[in-house]
């Protein structure tokens, strides 16, 4: 009876209408299949459960006892994201919902302690010390980023991922996009939370980005698609704002990767720090310029007077996925990111993605040998090629094979041959809604993991926001009193 029930509930899980229903069935299956009992058992070779249990007991006792100075000291010296290996993927591959309860309790206790220190009024822990503590400890702990890959129209899957995270207040402030992913990143980065929900509705976006050019243009060596049509699409969806204006409007940190069309240039991550006045739509246009499909792009920016002017006018830029589909190192350096949620839709990568951590065996070995062999062949070819002719093509291929295409949490679709055939075709509203549903559903199984692994960094952000607001109000109070005295 139990096996039949499990099979039935597994079928129900696949057909769940929304996340609430999916989660209820998943929790039931965890009980039926034994994963709930596994969660109750603290012990495991996959993490240092003794260390986590000890630190949990210490924090809980210090908070309940009101020993603020010792609690601050302990958090200062022992708080980091992967303490005791608690983010080990193996710990999230047993249960459908969550992980070891000890880990979940530890994470919640850290968040509770941070809230306690932030909101409480302590004579021996004044406001200025609080600000220093939260800024320093938060910097050491790090933050999460959402990374949206390339994939042409397959990248509309990202919309569903964004929807799932946004509806549960789990959308990171740092979002990067390459190629198709840059379109979605730009859409999210130019809309407030109140506006973002409308994007997921039928007709919420104009995504008619593809229009072929004449055969004469193609035979002259031009691109297959009209860059002007794509730019008109971006202007309607993103507008004329710069990276800085987008950040000031939404407080989201958007990064767009672009690759050089010319030699002697490196790929770039454009954002409000590295390219503050560059127009967001032009950066996206460049990131989407797949060689041979769309023409290379010159960037544009606002000048001192707010006029639109060329940016590095002698340089042209192309598809961001070629140089850096997932710019993890640059996000780490610029925005203190050390945890990456990846929505991956590149058709040459997705077939090799898996929810299960790779095990030893012939298939993983064969994949690694094929990958290392292709990289070696490209390196050898590059040394014997003209660097300004075929050598440049080899360099681009070498960049593609050397990149890392996965993060700490990976969300990816199930591609079909029909989807691949329509990669550079305009989508109907129904097709876009189908991509959104697929992305939404693919994210459900990762929600608890993302919530757990981002809980502490989100608490740091919230606490720092509260402390900053208090400081602003405190600074404004004397001025307000002085103005009232002047009126009297």
């Amino acid at each position: 009876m139990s096996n039949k029930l499990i099979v039935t509930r597994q079928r129900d899980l696949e057909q769940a209408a929304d996340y609430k229903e999916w989660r209820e069935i998943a929790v039931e299956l965890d009980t039926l299949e034994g994963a709930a009992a596994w969660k109750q058992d603290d012990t495991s070779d996959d993490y240092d459960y003794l260390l986590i249990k000890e630190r949990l007991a210490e924090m809980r006792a210090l908070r309940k006892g009101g020993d603020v100075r010792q609690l601050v000291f302990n958090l200062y010296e022992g708080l980091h994201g992967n303490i005791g290996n608690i983010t080990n993927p193996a710990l999230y591959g047993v249960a459908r919902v969550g992980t070891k309860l000890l880990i979940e309790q530890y994470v919640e206790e850290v968040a509770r302690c941070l809230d306690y220190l932030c909101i409480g009024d302590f004579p021996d822990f004044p406001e200025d010390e609080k600000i220093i503590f939260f800024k320093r400890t938060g910097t050491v702990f790090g933050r999460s980023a959402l990374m949206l890959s390339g994939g042409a129209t397959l990248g509309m899957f990202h919309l569903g991922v964004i929807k799932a995270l946004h509806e549960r207040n789990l959308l990171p402030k740092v979002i990067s996009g390459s190629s198709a992913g840059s379109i979605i990143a730009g859409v999210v980065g130019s809309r407030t939370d109140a506006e973002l929900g409308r994007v997921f509705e039928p007709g919420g976006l104009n995504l008619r980005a593809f229009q072929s050019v004449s055969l004469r243009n193609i035979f002259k060596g031009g691109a297959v698609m009209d860059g002007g049509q794509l730019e008109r699409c971006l202007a309607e969806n993103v507008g004329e704002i710069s990276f800085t204006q987008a950040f000031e409007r939404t407080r989201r940190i958007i990064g767009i990767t672009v690759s050089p069309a010319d030699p002697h240039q490196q790929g770039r991550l454009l954002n409000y720090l590295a390219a503050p006045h560059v127009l967001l739509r032009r950066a996206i246009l460049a990131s989407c310029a797949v060689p041979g499909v769309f023409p290379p792009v010159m960037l544009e920016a606002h000048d001192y007077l707010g006029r639109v002017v060329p940016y590095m006018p002698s340089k042209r830029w192309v598809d961001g996925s070629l140089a850096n589909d997932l710019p993890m190192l640059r996000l780490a350096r610029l925005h203190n990111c050390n945890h990456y949620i990846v929505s991956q839709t590149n058709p040459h990568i997705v077939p090799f993605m898996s929810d299960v951590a790779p095990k030893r065996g012939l298939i993983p070995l064969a994949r690694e040998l094929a990958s290392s062999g292709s990289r070696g062949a490209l390196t050898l070819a590059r040394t014997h090629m003209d660097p300004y002719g075929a050598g440049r093509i080899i360099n681009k291929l070498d960049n593609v094979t050397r990149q890392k295409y996965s993060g700490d949490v990976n969300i990816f679709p199930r591609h079909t041959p029909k989807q691949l055939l329509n990669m550079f075709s305009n989508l109907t509203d129904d097709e876009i809604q189908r991509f959104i549903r697929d992305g939404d559903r693919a994210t459900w199984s990762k929600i608890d993991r993302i919530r757990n692994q981002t809980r502490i960094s989100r608490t740091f952000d919230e606490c720092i926001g509260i402390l900053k607001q208090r400081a602003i109000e405190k600074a404004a109070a004397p001025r307000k009193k002085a103005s009232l005295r002047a009126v009297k």
Side-chain angles (χ1 to χ4, degrees):
M1 178 64 183
S2 178
N3 288 338
K4 286 184 178 179
L5 179 58
I6 288 173
V7 171
T8 300
R9 298 307 277 161
Q10 286 174 342
R11 191 182 305 116
D12 294 340
L13 189 72
E14 290 293 320
Q15 299 172 355
D18 53 36
Y19 175 67
K20 181 181 179 182
E21 181 184 353
W22 182 93
R23 195 177 192 280
E24 288 173 355
I25 298 172
V27 169
E28 181 183 347
L29 280 168
D30 279 345
T31 300
L32 292 171
E33 296 172 337
W38 174 86
K39 288 168 65 175
Q40 294 279 355
D41 180 8
D42 295 340
T43 66
S44 172
D45 292 335
D46 293 320
Y47 77 116
D48 191 341
Y49 62 90
L50 293 176
L51 172 64
I52 301 304
K53 185 178 289 188
E54 177 187 355
R55 290 196 64 84
L56 172 60
E58 287 177 353
M59 286 188 298
R60 189 173 284 161
L62 291 172
R63 177 179 57 80
K64 289 182 176 180
D67 193 343
V68 172
R69 298 306 308 188
Q70 186 62 51
L71 178 59
V72 169
F73 182 86
N74 283 18
L75 292 174
Y76 246 143
E77 63 111 24
L79 187 60
H80 59 87
N82 194 26
I83 184 172
N85 204 25
I86 61 174
T87 65
N88 185 348
L91 295 167
Y92 291 86
V94 177
R96 285 182 168 85
V97 177
T99 183
K100 293 286 188 180
L101 292 182
L102 175 62
I103 295 175
E104 294 177 355
Q105 291 167 358
Y106 167 81
V107 169
E108 281 304 312
E109 182 59 38
V110 171
R112 191 176 293 117
C113 287
L114 293 176
D115 286 336
Y116 168 71
L117 293 173
C118 174
I119 297 171
D121 185 13
F122 310 109
D124 56 343
F125 190 44
E127 206 77 356
D128 55 344
E129 283 192 43
K130 281 188 184 183
I131 293 173
I132 293 173
F133 164 77
F134 276 96
K135 284 187 174 179
R136 288 182 179 175
T137 314
T139 298
V140 171
F141 189 84
R143 70 197 319 186
S144 297
L146 173 64
M147 313 185 77
L148 311 176
S149 77
T153 57
L154 305 179
M156 298 309 104
F157 172 89
H158 301 319
L159 282 170
V161 176
I162 297 284
K163 178 178 182 291
L165 297 178
H166 172 63
E167 289 178 345
R168 291 156 191 88
N169 297 315
L170 295 175
L171 186 62
K173 289 186 176 181
V174 180
I175 303 173
S176 76
S178 299
S179 196
S182 71
I183 299 177
I184 309 305
V187 166
V188 175
S190 58
R191 284 165 173 77
T192 63
D193 283 338
E195 298 166 336
L196 191 54
R198 294 194 290 273
V199 167
F200 312 117
E201 299 172 358
L205 288 176
N206 167 24
L207 293 173
R208 299 192 65 79
F210 300 103
Q211 179 175 306
S212 59
V213 299
S214 66
L215 287 174
R216 184 195 305 181
N217 189 66
I218 297 173
F219 290 145
K220 285 182 177 179
V224 175
M225 294 292 174
D226 179 8
Q229 175 65 22
L230 175 57
E231 186 163 17
R232 287 187 290 274
C233 168
L234 295 175
E236 183 174 334
N237 289 309
V238 177
E240 295 294 309
I241 59 175
S242 66
F243 280 97
T244 292
Q245 290 169 332
F247 172 71
E248 290 173 346
R249 187 169 192 275
T250 68
R251 310 312 291 180
R252 304 190 213 281
I253 300 171
I254 301 302
I256 305 297
T257 60
V258 295
S259 305
D262 309 310
H264 311 305
Q265 290 288 323
Q266 301 295 318
R268 296 195 176 194
L269 174 66
L270 305 174
N271 57 26
Y272 86 104
L273 294 177
H277 307 300
V278 168
L279 295 185
L280 191 54
R281 66 168 174 80
R282 291 295 290 187
I284 298 170
L285 185 66
S287 191
C288 290
V290 179
V293 179
F294 287 107
V297 174
M298 178 188 71
L299 298 175
E300 293 177 349
H302 289 142
D303 68 5
Y304 181 73
L305 298 175
R307 298 171 300 192
V308 176
V309 297
Y311 179 84
M312 300 180 67
S314 65
K315 302 302 177 188
R316 299 293 183 272
W317 305 89
V318 296
D319 188 350
S321 295
L322 296 179
N324 209 348
D325 193 49
L326 306 177
M328 296 180 189
L329 292 178
R330 295 178 190 180
L331 291 179
R333 185 173 69 247
L334 289 171
H335 305 303
N336 196 39
C337 297
N338 58 3
H339 180 263
Y340 302 98
I341 305 163
V342 172
S343 180
Q344 179 57 259
T345 60
N346 273 306
H348 62 289
I349 300 299
V350 169
F352 300 99
M353 303 287 288
S354 173
D355 284 319
V356 182
K359 300 177 181 179
R360 296 182 183 276
L362 290 177
I363 294 177
L365 177 60
R367 286 179 179 173
E368 179 57 30
L369 288 174
S371 176
S372 60
S374 63
R375 289 196 298 266
L378 289 170
T379 301
L380 180 63
R382 184 172 52 184
T383 61
H384 296 282
M385 290 281 190
D386 171 16
Y388 300 105
R392 285 177 58 192
I393 298 175
I394 294 297
N395 284 338
K396 285 182 170 60
L397 290 173
D398 197 24
N399 284 336
V400 169
T401 60
R402 288 179 179 274
Q403 291 184 48
K404 183 179 180 182
Y405 290 98
S406 60
D408 298 283
V409 180
N410 301 297
I411 307 167
F412 50 91
R414 298 173 182 173
H415 284 331
T416 65
K418 183 178 178 181
Q419 289 176 332
L420 296 176
L421 291 174
N422 296 322
M423 283 183 62
F424 296 103
S425 300
N426 290 314
L427 300 173
T428 66
D429 285 345
D430 286 345
E431 288 171 330
I432 293 171
Q433 287 301 305
R434 195 175 302 119
F435 273 114
I436 292 175
R437 285 195 299 272
D438 289 347
D440 191 11
R441 293 185 67 90
T443 310
W444 293 349
S445 62
K446 310 296 173 69
I447 290 293
D448 274 82
R449 180 176 178 182
I450 292 170
R451 182 184 286 115
N452 193 60
Q453 294 185 353
T454 63
R455 178 75 168 92
I456 296 173
S457 61
R458 285 185 287 114
T459 304
F460 269 116
D461 282 344
E462 291 165 4
C463 289
I464 290 172
I466 291 170
L467 293 172
K468 282 182 178 179
Q469 185 61 35
R470 275 192 201 163
I472 292 170
E473 292 171 356
K474 185 178 180 181
R479 291 197 296 271
K480 186 175 181 180
K481 289 181 180 179
S483 63
L484 288 173
R485 285 197 297 269
V487 170
K488 291 177 180 178

